[in-house]
Amino acid sequence: MTQWRWLGITAEATRVWVVTDLSVRSAKPTTVRTDAVVIGVVSAPPTGRSKGGGKAMAPAGPAAAVAKAFGRGFIPMLASLGFEGKAGQTATLPSGHVLRSPVVVVVGLGEEGAVDDEALRRAAAAGMKAISNAVSVAIALPAADAAGVRAVGEGVLLGLYTFDRYRSEQRTDPPGEVVVLTENARHRDVKQAVSDAAVVSRAVNLARDWVNTPPRDLTPELFAQAVSEHRTKAGGAAGKVKVTVLDEAALAKQGCGGILGVGQGSDNPPRLVRLEYSPRKPAAHLALVGKGITFDSGGLSLKTGTGMMTMKCDMGGAAAVLAATYAIAELGVPVKVTTFASMAENMPGGGATRPGDVLTMRSGATVEVLNTDAEGRLVLADALDMATEAEPDLIVDVATLTGACVVALGTRVSGVLSNDEGLLERVPAIADRAGEAMWALPIPDEMKGKVTSSSIADLRQHNPEPYGGTLYAAAFLREFVKEQRWVHLDIAGPAFNDKDAYGYTPKGGTGAAVRTLVRLAQEAADGALAR
Ligand code: BES
Ligand code: MN
Ligand code: ZN
C-alpha cells in the first residue's frame, strides 16, 4: 500500500528525497496495517491520581480501542514506563499480536480540557519524531472535526521536516505514507482538510528550505531563479501563477532606488520577483510584499560576528509571501494575489551606500540613509509602492525587520502593525486560527514627525533614538502605502529558530507567516476583509 514518490534535487543527481504522502481513512487503529500507529493519551489534572498510585490518564478518542485491545494493563504499563500523558511525551511499544501494526507510539496530549487544534498539531509532530524506519504510519488522535484533522495533518508534515541537503549522509528517513484515521474520513470537509493541510505544510516547508539554504547558494539571482522554477516543479495549479523577475536594469528603469541602494554594496545584484495569481471571479484582491535580504551583513553599518550568524534568514518574509502565494493558487482560493518580493544582499563593498547618502525611491520620495543596517525598510518601500499601484483591497508585508521586535515580543511572537484599527484586531485572530502567534503593536502619532525629520531629504530612514525601533520602521513603511489598507508583519523573532526544535518547529528556518497568509486569503474569500 506504500506509494513512494521521488523528487530529485539538483545538488547531486544521485540523491533522492522522500515526499511523504498524506491521506485520510476511516480504518480503526486496531485493524490498520501500517508499520506504526500513533495514538494519544490525555493526562489527568495535577491532583488526579489513580488507585494504583500512578498518575491517572486516559486514552483519547480512537485510542480507546487500542487500550481495550491491550487490556486492563495498558495504562499501568504506560505509567511504569514513566509516561504521564504530558504534552510532547511519547512512549513506543511493541504491539505484539494485539494490533495489526507491529509498533504503537503513544503521545501525550496534556490535560483533556486543553486539547485544542494547536495541541493536536504538536502531538502529531511528536508522534512522527518518535518513529524511525517506518515506511507507512497511521495516526489516530482525537480530532473531532475537519479543523482538528487539518491540524493533525499539518503537525505530521511540519514535524517531519528536515534539511539534510548539505549533509554527506541523510540523518532521517521519513515515512512514504502517513494515514490520518478518523471516523469522518468520508466527509467532504474532512477530505478537503487533509489536502489543505498537505498544501499548506508543503508551502511552510518550502519557505523553510529557502531560509535554510546558505546565502552563497541563494543570492538574489538564485533565489529568483528558484522561485520561477518552483512554478514548474510543483506542477498542477502552481502553474496558474505568473512569474516576473525584474533584474538590475529593470529595477533601474522602474526607479527602484531603495532596492538598488541596498544591493549596490554586493557583487550579487538585486532582483524583484512579482507573482500574480488571478482566479476567474475573485472575491478580493490581496497584495503581498516580502523582505528578501539574502544576507544581511549590516552593510557599512556592519553587524558583529555573532549578529551575522543567522542573517541568511533575512529573506524569510519574501520566502513566506512567495510560498503562500503558490499555496493559495494550489488551493484554488478565489482571491486575486499579487506578490512582490524585493531581493538584495546587504554587503559593505566599495560601491555600498553610505550613512549620509540620499536615495530617491520609486515613489519619488527622497530618503536620507543614516544606518545601512536598517536596509529592510528601503527594499520594502519600493515594493510597497508597486503594490499600491495594483490597487488591492489590502497590502500585507512580511519582514524580518527589527531586532527591537524580538526584544518586545520574544522569538515566538510576530508583531502586527497597521494603518487600520480593524485589521489590527482581525489579523492576530486569523493568525491564531492558523496556529501562529502574532500581537498588535501601535504606530504612535509622534512617529510621523520623526520619520519626516530629515534635515536634507523628505524622509529619515533611521531613528537614532534606541527605543521603539519596530514602531518607527512601520511608520517609515506607512509613508509608501499612502491611503491603502495595509498590515505589516514583523517576523524577526519567529522566522528563524537558533535554539532546539520544539513542537513542530524545527531548528533553523520555520516558515513563519505562511499559514497566516494562506488563512487570511481563505477568510478574505469569505468576506473577512470587508470594512
Ligand atoms: N535583519 C535585521 C533585523 C533582525 C534582527 C532580524 C534579528 C532577525 C533577527 C534588520 O535589517 C536590522 O539589522 N535591523 C536593525 C535596525 C536598526 C539599525 C535600526 C536592528 O534591529 O538592529
Ligand atoms: Mn539589517
Ligand atoms: Zn535585515
Side-chain angles (χ1 to χ4, degrees), residues 158 161 163 165 199-213 218 223 227 230 312-313 315-326 436 491 495-496 506 508-515 517:
L158 296 176
Y161 178 82
F163 188 71
R165 205 172 288 176
V199 171
V200 171
S201 307
R202 281 184 190 125
V204 173
N205 290 342
L206 173 66
R208 289 171 173 180
D209 276 349
W210 281 335
V211 169
N212 287 331
T213 301
L218 202 92
F223 190 10
V227 174
H230 182 76
K312 68 173 182 181
C313 84
M315 34 56 71
V321 297
L322 294 163
T325 306
Y326 279 121
E436 296 197 281
I491 60 165
F496 198 83
T510 62
V514 172
R515 283 180 292 148
L517 294 171

mmCIF file of all heavy atoms in Angstrom, residues 158 161 163 165 199-213 218 223 227 230 312-313 315-326 436 491 495-496 506 508-515 517:
data_model
loop_
_atom_site.group_PDB
_atom_site.id
_atom_site.type_symbol
_atom_site.label_atom_id
_atom_site.label_comp_id
_atom_site.label_asym_id
_atom_site.label_seq_id
_atom_site.Cartn_x
_atom_site.Cartn_y
_atom_site.Cartn_z
ATOM 1 N N LEU A 158 4.688 19.090 9.091
ATOM 2 C CA LEU A 158 5.607 20.102 9.616
ATOM 3 C C LEU A 158 6.621 19.463 10.555
ATOM 4 O O LEU A 158 7.790 19.850 10.589
ATOM 5 C CB LEU A 158 4.832 21.209 10.346
ATOM 6 C CG LEU A 158 3.885 22.037 9.470
ATOM 7 C CD1 LEU A 158 3.093 23.030 10.317
ATOM 8 C CD2 LEU A 158 4.657 22.771 8.383
ATOM 9 N N TYR A 161 9.658 17.604 8.927
ATOM 10 C CA TYR A 161 10.611 18.397 8.130
ATOM 11 C C TYR A 161 12.058 18.248 8.606
ATOM 12 O O TYR A 161 12.340 18.299 9.802
ATOM 13 C CB TYR A 161 10.245 19.884 8.188
ATOM 14 C CG TYR A 161 11.232 20.750 7.431
ATOM 15 C CD1 TYR A 161 11.142 20.892 6.050
ATOM 16 C CD2 TYR A 161 12.288 21.391 8.096
ATOM 17 C CE1 TYR A 161 12.054 21.657 5.351
ATOM 18 C CE2 TYR A 161 13.200 22.162 7.402
ATOM 19 C CZ TYR A 161 13.083 22.301 6.031
ATOM 20 O OH TYR A 161 13.988 23.041 5.335
ATOM 21 N N PHE A 163 16.246 19.289 7.020
ATOM 22 C CA PHE A 163 17.015 19.915 5.938
ATOM 23 C C PHE A 163 18.377 19.237 5.880
ATOM 24 O O PHE A 163 19.310 19.608 6.585
ATOM 25 C CB PHE A 163 17.157 21.422 6.203
ATOM 26 C CG PHE A 163 17.762 22.168 5.039
ATOM 27 C CD1 PHE A 163 17.041 22.367 3.870
ATOM 28 C CD2 PHE A 163 19.049 22.682 5.121
ATOM 29 C CE1 PHE A 163 17.593 23.064 2.791
ATOM 30 C CE2 PHE A 163 19.606 23.380 4.056
ATOM 31 C CZ PHE A 163 18.879 23.571 2.893
ATOM 32 N N ARG A 165 20.041 18.543 2.972
ATOM 33 C CA ARG A 165 20.614 18.718 1.638
ATOM 34 C C ARG A 165 22.132 18.909 1.651
ATOM 35 O O ARG A 165 22.817 18.573 0.703
ATOM 36 C CB ARG A 165 19.955 19.952 1.023
ATOM 37 C CG ARG A 165 19.942 19.983 -0.453
ATOM 38 C CD ARG A 165 19.087 21.144 -0.923
ATOM 39 N NE ARG A 165 17.664 20.915 -0.721
ATOM 40 C CZ ARG A 165 16.735 21.835 -0.983
ATOM 41 N NH1 ARG A 165 17.085 23.029 -1.413
ATOM 42 N NH2 ARG A 165 15.469 21.561 -0.801
ATOM 43 N N VAL A 199 -1.075 20.896 1.318
ATOM 44 C CA VAL A 199 -0.643 22.060 0.522
ATOM 45 C C VAL A 199 0.013 23.112 1.420
ATOM 46 O O VAL A 199 1.097 23.619 1.113
ATOM 47 C CB VAL A 199 -1.842 22.670 -0.246
ATOM 48 C CG1 VAL A 199 -1.454 23.996 -0.878
ATOM 49 C CG2 VAL A 199 -2.343 21.697 -1.313
ATOM 50 N N VAL A 200 -0.649 23.425 2.532
ATOM 51 C CA VAL A 200 -0.143 24.468 3.421
ATOM 52 C C VAL A 200 1.193 24.048 4.046
ATOM 53 O O VAL A 200 2.154 24.827 4.079
ATOM 54 C CB VAL A 200 -1.183 24.807 4.520
ATOM 55 C CG1 VAL A 200 -0.590 25.714 5.571
ATOM 56 C CG2 VAL A 200 -2.417 25.450 3.898
ATOM 57 N N SER A 201 1.271 22.800 4.504
ATOM 58 C CA SER A 201 2.509 22.348 5.155
ATOM 59 C C SER A 201 3.666 22.318 4.171
ATOM 60 O O SER A 201 4.800 22.654 4.519
ATOM 61 C CB SER A 201 2.322 20.954 5.750
ATOM 62 O OG SER A 201 1.188 20.955 6.582
ATOM 63 N N ARG A 202 3.381 21.910 2.941
ATOM 64 C CA ARG A 202 4.461 21.897 1.942
ATOM 65 C C ARG A 202 4.917 23.303 1.634
ATOM 66 O O ARG A 202 6.104 23.536 1.369
ATOM 67 C CB ARG A 202 4.022 21.153 0.683
ATOM 68 C CG ARG A 202 4.117 19.662 0.950
ATOM 69 C CD ARG A 202 3.805 18.760 -0.216
ATOM 70 N NE ARG A 202 3.725 17.401 0.336
ATOM 71 C CZ ARG A 202 2.696 16.599 0.201
ATOM 72 N NH1 ARG A 202 1.642 16.953 -0.517
ATOM 73 N NH2 ARG A 202 2.711 15.415 0.779
ATOM 74 N N ALA A 203 3.995 24.268 1.692
ATOM 75 C CA ALA A 203 4.382 25.667 1.479
ATOM 76 C C ALA A 203 5.269 26.152 2.627
ATOM 77 O O ALA A 203 6.279 26.827 2.411
ATOM 78 C CB ALA A 203 3.148 26.547 1.346
ATOM 79 N N VAL A 204 4.905 25.789 3.854
ATOM 80 C CA VAL A 204 5.731 26.155 5.008
ATOM 81 C C VAL A 204 7.122 25.529 4.852
ATOM 82 O O VAL A 204 8.148 26.193 5.053
ATOM 83 C CB VAL A 204 5.076 25.687 6.334
ATOM 84 C CG1 VAL A 204 6.016 25.925 7.516
ATOM 85 C CG2 VAL A 204 3.745 26.393 6.557
ATOM 86 N N ASN A 205 7.146 24.257 4.456
ATOM 87 C CA ASN A 205 8.433 23.566 4.313
ATOM 88 C C ASN A 205 9.272 24.132 3.167
ATOM 89 O O ASN A 205 10.502 24.157 3.244
ATOM 90 C CB ASN A 205 8.206 22.060 4.152
ATOM 91 C CG ASN A 205 7.707 21.416 5.440
ATOM 92 O OD1 ASN A 205 7.847 22.001 6.524
ATOM 93 N ND2 ASN A 205 7.125 20.240 5.347
ATOM 94 N N LEU A 206 8.597 24.614 2.139
ATOM 95 C CA LEU A 206 9.307 25.273 1.033
ATOM 96 C C LEU A 206 9.973 26.561 1.537
ATOM 97 O O LEU A 206 11.147 26.831 1.243
ATOM 98 C CB LEU A 206 8.318 25.592 -0.096
ATOM 99 C CG LEU A 206 8.827 26.429 -1.261
ATOM 100 C CD1 LEU A 206 9.899 25.672 -2.050
ATOM 101 C CD2 LEU A 206 7.665 26.827 -2.204
ATOM 102 N N ALA A 207 9.235 27.340 2.307
ATOM 103 C CA ALA A 207 9.802 28.574 2.876
ATOM 104 C C ALA A 207 10.976 28.226 3.797
ATOM 105 O O ALA A 207 12.015 28.896 3.788
ATOM 106 C CB ALA A 207 8.725 29.352 3.632
ATOM 107 N N ARG A 208 10.822 27.152 4.571
ATOM 108 C CA ARG A 208 11.918 26.713 5.450
ATOM 109 C C ARG A 208 13.167 26.370 4.630
ATOM 110 O O ARG A 208 14.284 26.742 4.982
ATOM 111 C CB ARG A 208 11.473 25.476 6.246
ATOM 112 C CG ARG A 208 10.432 25.763 7.319
ATOM 113 C CD ARG A 208 9.897 24.454 7.884
ATOM 114 N NE ARG A 208 9.005 24.676 9.028
ATOM 115 C CZ ARG A 208 8.405 23.698 9.703
ATOM 116 N NH1 ARG A 208 8.589 22.431 9.361
ATOM 117 N NH2 ARG A 208 7.620 23.980 10.732
ATOM 118 N N ASP A 209 12.969 25.633 3.531
ATOM 119 C CA ASP A 209 14.096 25.251 2.667
ATOM 120 C C ASP A 209 14.820 26.499 2.146
ATOM 121 O O ASP A 209 16.047 26.552 2.154
ATOM 122 C CB ASP A 209 13.596 24.447 1.458
ATOM 123 C CG ASP A 209 13.417 22.965 1.767
ATOM 124 O OD1 ASP A 209 13.859 22.516 2.840
ATOM 125 O OD2 ASP A 209 12.832 22.265 0.918
ATOM 126 N N TRP A 210 14.046 27.466 1.678
ATOM 127 C CA TRP A 210 14.670 28.680 1.136
ATOM 128 C C TRP A 210 15.464 29.409 2.215
ATOM 129 O O TRP A 210 16.582 29.859 1.992
ATOM 130 C CB TRP A 210 13.598 29.583 0.521
ATOM 131 C CG TRP A 210 13.161 29.149 -0.849
ATOM 132 C CD1 TRP A 210 13.892 28.402 -1.749
ATOM 133 C CD2 TRP A 210 11.900 29.418 -1.496
ATOM 134 N NE1 TRP A 210 13.154 28.206 -2.899
ATOM 135 C CE2 TRP A 210 11.938 28.815 -2.782
ATOM 136 C CE3 TRP A 210 10.748 30.116 -1.116
ATOM 137 C CZ2 TRP A 210 10.872 28.897 -3.678
ATOM 138 C CZ3 TRP A 210 9.686 30.190 -2.018
ATOM 139 C CH2 TRP A 210 9.751 29.588 -3.284
ATOM 140 N N VAL A 211 14.884 29.507 3.420
ATOM 141 C CA VAL A 211 15.579 30.204 4.516
ATOM 142 C C VAL A 211 16.845 29.443 4.908
ATOM 143 O O VAL A 211 17.891 30.046 5.170
ATOM 144 C CB VAL A 211 14.642 30.391 5.733
ATOM 145 C CG1 VAL A 211 15.423 30.860 6.959
ATOM 146 C CG2 VAL A 211 13.521 31.381 5.399
ATOM 147 N N ASN A 212 16.761 28.115 4.937
ATOM 148 C CA ASN A 212 17.912 27.323 5.376
ATOM 149 C C ASN A 212 19.041 27.278 4.355
ATOM 150 O O ASN A 212 20.191 27.003 4.711
ATOM 151 C CB ASN A 212 17.456 25.893 5.696
ATOM 152 C CG ASN A 212 16.663 25.827 6.988
ATOM 153 O OD1 ASN A 212 16.877 26.637 7.901
ATOM 154 N ND2 ASN A 212 15.747 24.885 7.087
ATOM 155 N N THR A 213 18.733 27.515 3.098
ATOM 156 C CA THR A 213 19.761 27.451 2.060
ATOM 157 C C THR A 213 20.846 28.505 2.321
ATOM 158 O O THR A 213 20.543 29.670 2.547
ATOM 159 C CB THR A 213 19.118 27.673 0.673
ATOM 160 O OG1 THR A 213 18.129 26.665 0.480
ATOM 161 C CG2 THR A 213 20.151 27.585 -0.444
ATOM 162 N N LEU A 218 21.917 31.082 -2.394
ATOM 163 C CA LEU A 218 20.627 31.766 -2.524
ATOM 164 C C LEU A 218 20.882 33.280 -2.613
ATOM 165 O O LEU A 218 20.415 34.058 -1.794
ATOM 166 C CB LEU A 218 19.684 31.427 -1.367
ATOM 167 C CG LEU A 218 18.205 31.671 -1.708
ATOM 168 C CD1 LEU A 218 17.545 30.418 -2.265
ATOM 169 C CD2 LEU A 218 17.426 32.175 -0.505
ATOM 170 N N PHE A 223 17.811 33.021 -5.883
ATOM 171 C CA PHE A 223 16.512 32.979 -5.192
ATOM 172 C C PHE A 223 15.392 33.180 -6.232
ATOM 173 O O PHE A 223 14.431 32.402 -6.299
ATOM 174 C CB PHE A 223 16.477 34.061 -4.103
ATOM 175 C CG PHE A 223 15.308 33.995 -3.146
ATOM 176 C CD1 PHE A 223 14.435 32.904 -3.107
ATOM 177 C CD2 PHE A 223 15.087 35.048 -2.251
ATOM 178 C CE1 PHE A 223 13.368 32.861 -2.202
ATOM 179 C CE2 PHE A 223 14.023 35.015 -1.356
ATOM 180 C CZ PHE A 223 13.156 33.928 -1.332
ATOM 181 N N VAL A 227 12.449 30.538 -7.317
ATOM 182 C CA VAL A 227 11.019 30.853 -7.260
ATOM 183 C C VAL A 227 10.359 30.568 -8.618
ATOM 184 O O VAL A 227 9.275 29.980 -8.680
ATOM 185 C CB VAL A 227 10.796 32.319 -6.847
ATOM 186 C CG1 VAL A 227 9.317 32.697 -6.921
ATOM 187 C CG2 VAL A 227 11.330 32.568 -5.435
ATOM 188 N N HIS A 230 10.086 26.840 -9.142
ATOM 189 C CA HIS A 230 9.064 26.171 -8.326
ATOM 190 C C HIS A 230 7.741 26.072 -9.076
ATOM 191 O O HIS A 230 6.999 25.111 -8.926
ATOM 192 C CB HIS A 230 8.834 26.886 -6.997
ATOM 193 C CG HIS A 230 7.819 26.184 -6.140
ATOM 194 N ND1 HIS A 230 8.098 25.027 -5.443
ATOM 195 C CD2 HIS A 230 6.505 26.426 -5.927
ATOM 196 C CE1 HIS A 230 7.010 24.609 -4.837
ATOM 197 N NE2 HIS A 230 6.017 25.435 -5.111
ATOM 198 N N LYS A 312 21.290 34.770 7.212
ATOM 199 C CA LYS A 312 20.751 34.203 5.973
ATOM 200 C C LYS A 312 19.224 34.151 6.045
ATOM 201 O O LYS A 312 18.547 33.955 5.047
ATOM 202 C CB LYS A 312 21.321 32.801 5.726
ATOM 203 C CG LYS A 312 20.840 31.759 6.732
ATOM 204 C CD LYS A 312 21.281 30.344 6.368
ATOM 205 C CE LYS A 312 20.752 29.327 7.372
ATOM 206 N NZ LYS A 312 21.177 27.944 7.084
ATOM 207 N N CYS A 313 18.704 34.327 7.264
ATOM 208 C CA CYS A 313 17.245 34.239 7.456
ATOM 209 C C CYS A 313 16.527 35.510 7.053
ATOM 210 O O CYS A 313 15.302 35.594 7.138
ATOM 211 C CB CYS A 313 16.904 33.926 8.911
ATOM 212 S SG CYS A 313 16.865 35.397 9.975
ATOM 213 N N MET A 315 15.689 36.801 4.447
ATOM 214 C CA MET A 315 14.759 36.736 3.307
ATOM 215 C C MET A 315 13.516 35.935 3.695
ATOM 216 O O MET A 315 12.743 35.500 2.832
ATOM 217 C CB MET A 315 15.430 36.148 2.048
ATOM 218 C CG MET A 315 16.492 35.072 2.238
ATOM 219 S SD MET A 315 15.906 33.656 3.180
ATOM 220 C CE MET A 315 14.807 32.951 1.964
ATOM 221 N N GLY A 316 13.345 35.733 5.005
ATOM 222 C CA GLY A 316 12.217 34.928 5.492
ATOM 223 C C GLY A 316 10.853 35.502 5.113
ATOM 224 O O GLY A 316 9.898 34.759 4.876
ATOM 225 N N GLY A 317 10.758 36.824 5.055
ATOM 226 C CA GLY A 317 9.486 37.454 4.670
ATOM 227 C C GLY A 317 9.153 37.173 3.218
ATOM 228 O O GLY A 317 8.017 36.815 2.882
ATOM 229 N N ALA A 318 10.169 37.310 2.351
ATOM 230 C CA ALA A 318 9.975 37.007 0.924
ATOM 231 C C ALA A 318 9.603 35.538 0.751
ATOM 232 O O ALA A 318 8.673 35.199 0.012
ATOM 233 C CB ALA A 318 11.242 37.343 0.137
ATOM 234 N N ALA A 319 10.340 34.661 1.440
ATOM 235 C CA ALA A 319 10.054 33.219 1.347
ATOM 236 C C ALA A 319 8.601 32.956 1.723
ATOM 237 O O ALA A 319 7.902 32.182 1.058
ATOM 238 C CB ALA A 319 10.998 32.436 2.262
ATOM 239 N N ALA A 320 8.138 33.623 2.785
ATOM 240 C CA ALA A 320 6.767 33.396 3.264
ATOM 241 C C ALA A 320 5.727 33.851 2.243
ATOM 242 O O ALA A 320 4.798 33.108 1.925
ATOM 243 C CB ALA A 320 6.549 34.113 4.596
ATOM 244 N N VAL A 321 5.877 35.076 1.711
ATOM 245 C CA VAL A 321 4.845 35.563 0.781
ATOM 246 C C VAL A 321 4.858 34.770 -0.530
ATOM 247 O O VAL A 321 3.796 34.516 -1.115
ATOM 248 C CB VAL A 321 4.961 37.093 0.504
ATOM 249 C CG1 VAL A 321 4.744 37.890 1.791
ATOM 250 C CG2 VAL A 321 6.265 37.473 -0.157
ATOM 251 N N LEU A 322 6.031 34.350 -0.966
ATOM 252 C CA LEU A 322 6.131 33.605 -2.224
ATOM 253 C C LEU A 322 5.533 32.204 -2.072
ATOM 254 O O LEU A 322 4.716 31.762 -2.890
ATOM 255 C CB LEU A 322 7.592 33.522 -2.676
ATOM 256 C CG LEU A 322 8.226 34.868 -3.056
ATOM 257 C CD1 LEU A 322 9.747 34.772 -3.076
ATOM 258 C CD2 LEU A 322 7.701 35.368 -4.398
ATOM 259 N N ALA A 323 5.930 31.508 -1.003
ATOM 260 C CA ALA A 323 5.404 30.154 -0.773
ATOM 261 C C ALA A 323 3.897 30.207 -0.541
ATOM 262 O O ALA A 323 3.152 29.349 -1.034
ATOM 263 C CB ALA A 323 6.113 29.505 0.417
ATOM 264 N N ALA A 324 3.439 31.219 0.194
ATOM 265 C CA ALA A 324 2.000 31.345 0.467
ATOM 266 C C ALA A 324 1.224 31.596 -0.828
ATOM 267 O O ALA A 324 0.126 31.059 -1.017
ATOM 268 C CB ALA A 324 1.737 32.464 1.472
ATOM 269 N N THR A 325 1.787 32.398 -1.729
ATOM 270 C CA THR A 325 1.101 32.688 -2.991
ATOM 271 C C THR A 325 0.887 31.407 -3.795
ATOM 272 O O THR A 325 -0.210 31.145 -4.310
ATOM 273 C CB THR A 325 1.911 33.699 -3.828
ATOM 274 O OG1 THR A 325 2.172 34.845 -3.012
ATOM 275 C CG2 THR A 325 1.143 34.127 -5.072
ATOM 276 N N TYR A 326 1.936 30.591 -3.894
ATOM 277 C CA TYR A 326 1.791 29.307 -4.595
ATOM 278 C C TYR A 326 0.732 28.434 -3.917
ATOM 279 O O TYR A 326 -0.082 27.785 -4.584
ATOM 280 C CB TYR A 326 3.135 28.567 -4.641
ATOM 281 C CG TYR A 326 4.064 29.050 -5.737
ATOM 282 C CD1 TYR A 326 5.319 29.561 -5.443
ATOM 283 C CD2 TYR A 326 3.681 28.985 -7.081
ATOM 284 C CE1 TYR A 326 6.179 29.993 -6.450
ATOM 285 C CE2 TYR A 326 4.531 29.413 -8.095
ATOM 286 C CZ TYR A 326 5.778 29.920 -7.777
ATOM 287 O OH TYR A 326 6.623 30.340 -8.779
ATOM 288 N N GLU A 436 -0.528 30.340 14.548
ATOM 289 C CA GLU A 436 0.657 31.187 14.694
ATOM 290 C C GLU A 436 0.383 32.298 15.714
ATOM 291 O O GLU A 436 -0.746 32.762 15.845
ATOM 292 C CB GLU A 436 1.048 31.800 13.344
ATOM 293 C CG GLU A 436 1.460 30.725 12.344
ATOM 294 C CD GLU A 436 2.238 31.286 11.159
ATOM 295 O OE1 GLU A 436 1.595 31.841 10.243
ATOM 296 O OE2 GLU A 436 3.470 31.142 11.150
ATOM 297 N N ILE A 491 8.424 39.636 11.500
ATOM 298 C CA ILE A 491 8.667 38.236 11.899
ATOM 299 C C ILE A 491 10.129 38.009 12.314
ATOM 300 O O ILE A 491 10.615 36.877 12.264
ATOM 301 C CB ILE A 491 8.263 37.246 10.775
ATOM 302 C CG1 ILE A 491 9.065 37.499 9.476
ATOM 303 C CG2 ILE A 491 6.762 37.338 10.469
ATOM 304 C CD1 ILE A 491 8.982 36.347 8.467
ATOM 305 N N ALA A 495 10.970 33.916 12.566
ATOM 306 C CA ALA A 495 11.389 33.391 11.251
ATOM 307 C C ALA A 495 12.467 32.319 11.347
ATOM 308 O O ALA A 495 12.542 31.429 10.502
ATOM 309 C CB ALA A 495 11.883 34.535 10.359
ATOM 310 N N PHE A 496 13.301 32.427 12.370
ATOM 311 C CA PHE A 496 14.460 31.530 12.456
ATOM 312 C C PHE A 496 14.614 31.059 13.892
ATOM 313 O O PHE A 496 14.602 31.865 14.820
ATOM 314 C CB PHE A 496 15.720 32.281 12.005
ATOM 315 C CG PHE A 496 16.864 31.379 11.650
ATOM 316 C CD1 PHE A 496 16.943 30.803 10.383
ATOM 317 C CD2 PHE A 496 17.864 31.104 12.580
ATOM 318 C CE1 PHE A 496 18.002 29.968 10.046
ATOM 319 C CE2 PHE A 496 18.930 30.274 12.249
ATOM 320 C CZ PHE A 496 19.001 29.703 10.976
ATOM 321 N N PRO A 506 11.110 23.313 13.635
ATOM 322 C CA PRO A 506 12.473 22.768 13.596
ATOM 323 C C PRO A 506 13.499 23.826 13.986
ATOM 324 O O PRO A 506 13.163 24.994 14.166
ATOM 325 C CB PRO A 506 12.635 22.396 12.123
ATOM 326 C CG PRO A 506 11.780 23.387 11.392
ATOM 327 C CD PRO A 506 10.617 23.701 12.302
ATOM 328 N N GLY A 508 16.435 26.277 12.818
ATOM 329 C CA GLY A 508 16.615 26.963 11.539
ATOM 330 C C GLY A 508 15.337 27.620 11.050
ATOM 331 O O GLY A 508 14.497 28.056 11.853
ATOM 332 N N GLY A 509 15.190 27.686 9.737
ATOM 333 C CA GLY A 509 14.019 28.336 9.139
ATOM 334 C C GLY A 509 12.731 27.687 9.606
ATOM 335 O O GLY A 509 12.641 26.466 9.707
ATOM 336 N N THR A 510 11.735 28.518 9.910
ATOM 337 C CA THR A 510 10.483 27.998 10.470
ATOM 338 C C THR A 510 9.304 28.104 9.508
ATOM 339 O O THR A 510 8.268 27.481 9.724
ATOM 340 C CB THR A 510 10.091 28.788 11.733
ATOM 341 O OG1 THR A 510 9.866 30.157 11.344
ATOM 342 C CG2 THR A 510 11.182 28.723 12.789
ATOM 343 N N GLY A 511 9.428 28.947 8.477
ATOM 344 C CA GLY A 511 8.278 29.176 7.589
ATOM 345 C C GLY A 511 7.234 30.071 8.226
ATOM 346 O O GLY A 511 6.057 30.033 7.849
ATOM 347 N N ALA A 512 7.656 30.907 9.177
ATOM 348 C CA ALA A 512 6.726 31.806 9.876
ATOM 349 C C ALA A 512 5.932 32.659 8.897
ATOM 350 O O ALA A 512 6.472 33.140 7.904
ATOM 351 C CB ALA A 512 7.502 32.712 10.837
ATOM 352 N N ALA A 513 4.660 32.822 9.198
ATOM 353 C CA ALA A 513 3.690 33.674 8.491
ATOM 354 C C ALA A 513 3.023 32.990 7.294
ATOM 355 O O ALA A 513 1.980 33.457 6.833
ATOM 356 C CB ALA A 513 4.274 35.022 8.055
ATOM 357 N N VAL A 514 3.562 31.890 6.801
ATOM 358 C CA VAL A 514 2.945 31.229 5.634
ATOM 359 C C VAL A 514 1.513 30.810 5.958
ATOM 360 O O VAL A 514 0.569 31.098 5.212
ATOM 361 C CB VAL A 514 3.764 30.000 5.179
ATOM 362 C CG1 VAL A 514 3.012 29.224 4.103
ATOM 363 C CG2 VAL A 514 5.131 30.425 4.660
ATOM 364 N N ARG A 515 1.326 30.141 7.103
ATOM 365 C CA ARG A 515 -0.007 29.638 7.436
ATOM 366 C C ARG A 515 -0.998 30.780 7.636
ATOM 367 O O ARG A 515 -2.154 30.698 7.239
ATOM 368 C CB ARG A 515 0.066 28.759 8.686
ATOM 369 C CG ARG A 515 0.622 27.370 8.374
ATOM 370 C CD ARG A 515 0.702 26.500 9.606
ATOM 371 N NE ARG A 515 1.706 26.987 10.544
ATOM 372 C CZ ARG A 515 1.621 26.875 11.865
ATOM 373 N NH1 ARG A 515 0.566 26.311 12.414
ATOM 374 N NH2 ARG A 515 2.588 27.325 12.647
ATOM 375 N N LEU A 517 -0.884 33.762 6.194
ATOM 376 C CA LEU A 517 -1.205 34.376 4.904
ATOM 377 C C LEU A 517 -2.223 33.543 4.128
ATOM 378 O O LEU A 517 -3.162 34.081 3.530
ATOM 379 C CB LEU A 517 0.069 34.566 4.071
ATOM 380 C CG LEU A 517 1.089 35.568 4.617
ATOM 381 C CD1 LEU A 517 2.393 35.495 3.813
ATOM 382 C CD2 LEU A 517 0.548 36.987 4.611
#
